[in-house]
């Protein structure tokens, strides 16, 4: 069975500090991977997607970047956090581009 | 993507069958109807999806109107763990598999 693991579970960071959030998919080769973000009280929106190693497409500009260094790994990062980056970050995967998407448990980020 | 309209909230009692409506009057022929549910502090959970025909799985039954302008998610014998926000989403076949979430319907279940 496929499992999706996100780290860390929660993080409190200072404005201007760097950030790195990780996601690993096990039990599935060549998955499509996604990053979603939900501001407190807001709706979920897709930030990035990747269909293969080394290839990442940006959907929404939030001064964040994403990378896919391995087939089963997806990283979300920024060099300088803003207060507006606070929220709930979710990694997700699908088998193809036209199939159901499965979400991880998320990382709660608070920027102070 | 076309827009969906759902009631803000619904309430049910444990053991009842719940009908969650979704209106999508401007749906395109290549848009699938997806349902997800989400509880606080967790990622959305896939429930079901369909294109034209009604579908059923272990979680729910999805009834799609013949003109596809509305659908209803039917949850049989709800329990407390079915309390969640239910999202009805239209996804275009192809593209980046983007799911556009709205506010959804908050389903409350009373013991």
């Amino acid at each position: 069975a496929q499992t999706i693991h996100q780290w860390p579970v929660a993080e409190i960071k200072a404005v201007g500090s760097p950030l790195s959030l990780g996601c690993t998919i096990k039990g599935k080769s060549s998955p499509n991977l996604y990053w979603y973000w939900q501001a407190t009280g807001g709706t979920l929106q897709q930030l990035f997607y990747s269909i293969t190693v080394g290839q990442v497409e940006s959907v929404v500009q939030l001064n964040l970047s994403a990378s896919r260094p391995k087939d089963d790994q997806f990283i979300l990062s920024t060099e300088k956090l803003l207060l507006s980056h606070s929220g709930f970050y979710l990694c997700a995967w699908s088998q193809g581009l036209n199939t159901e998407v499965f979400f991880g448990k998320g990382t709660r980020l608070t920027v102070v | 993507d076309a827009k969906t309209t759902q009631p803000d909230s619904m309430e049910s009692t444990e053991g009842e069958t719940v009908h969650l409506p979704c209106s999508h009057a401007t749906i395109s022929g290549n848009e699938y109807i997806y349902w997800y549910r989400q509880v606080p502090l967790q990622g959305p959970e896939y429930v079901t999806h369909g294109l034209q025909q009604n579908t059923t799985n272990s979680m729910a039954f999805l009834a799609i109107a013949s003109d596809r302008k509305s659908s209803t998610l039917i949850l049989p014998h709800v329990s407390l763990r079915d309390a969640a926000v239910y999202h009805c989403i239209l996804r275009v076949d192809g593209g980046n598999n983007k799911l556009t979430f709205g506010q959804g319907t908050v389903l409350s279940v009373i013991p």
Side-chain angles (χ1 to χ4, degrees):
Chain A
Q2 299 83 13
T3 58
I4 177 170
H5 174 61
Q6 284 190 244
W7 72 92
V9 172
E11 186 122 65
I12 300 175
K13 302 276 284 186
V15 170
S17 63
L19 173 76
S20 180
L21 303 181
C23 171
T24 300
I25 315 296
K26 295 299 182 188
K28 187 69 192 168
S29 63
S30 304
N32 293 313
L33 299 176
Y34 313 88
W35 278 111
Y36 278 77
W37 171 70
Q38 184 175 29
T40 303
T43 58
L44 266 173
Q45 53 182 314
Q46 191 185 83
L47 300 179
F48 299 93
Y49 72 95
S50 170
I51 61 174
T52 190
V53 175
Q55 184 178 335
V56 177
E57 300 296 329
S58 173
V59 179
V60 173
Q61 284 298 327
L62 281 181
N63 291 314
L64 295 168
S65 61
S67 64
R68 187 169 176 177
K70 300 179 185 177
D71 185 53
D72 63 352
Q73 197 173 74
F74 208 17
I75 306 296
L76 184 71
S77 61
T78 183
E79 292 187 0
K80 281 189 177 182
L81 278 167
L82 307 172
L83 284 174
S84 57
H85 286 139
S86 292
F88 194 41
Y89 289 85
L90 286 156
C91 180
W93 72 273
S94 68
Q95 187 168 343
L97 283 177
N98 297 316
T99 61
E100 46 272 42
V101 177
F102 300 98
F103 290 82
K105 293 185 183 296
T107 294
R108 181 152 299 280
L109 174 68
T110 302
V111 183
V112 296
Chain B
D1 297 342
K3 183 181 160 64
T4 63
T5 302
Q6 298 178 252
D8 291 337
S9 62
M10 292 184 67
E11 189 176 271
S12 180
T13 303
E14 266 195 305
E16 288 185 341
T17 295
V18 174
H19 292 70
L20 297 171
C22 181
S23 172
H24 26 81
T26 59
I27 189 171
S28 301
N30 63 346
E31 286 185 301
Y32 285 79
I33 302 159
Y34 274 74
W35 283 84
Y36 280 80
R37 67 183 186 184
Q38 186 178 17
V39 297
L41 302 179
Q42 290 190 26
E45 178 185 20
Y46 168 79
V47 177
T48 189
H49 76 281
L51 181 64
Q52 201 154 16
Q53 305 297 322
N54 296 338
T55 63
T56 187
N57 61 21
S58 59
M59 292 179 72
F61 178 81
L62 177 60
I64 302 174
S66 57
D67 63 5
R68 298 207 330 124
K69 294 185 177 183
S70 66
S71 59
T72 302
L73 184 71
I74 301 170
L75 304 174
H77 312 297
V78 293
S79 67
L80 294 177
R81 76 172 288 279
D82 292 315
V85 179
Y86 285 78
H87 296 276
C88 170
I89 300 166
L90 302 182
R91 186 189 63 72
V92 176
D93 195 15
N96 59 341
N97 211 359
K98 186 169 97 169
L99 298 172
T100 302
F101 288 81
Q103 297 295 337
T105 296
V106 178
L107 175 65
S108 302
V109 180
I110 303 169

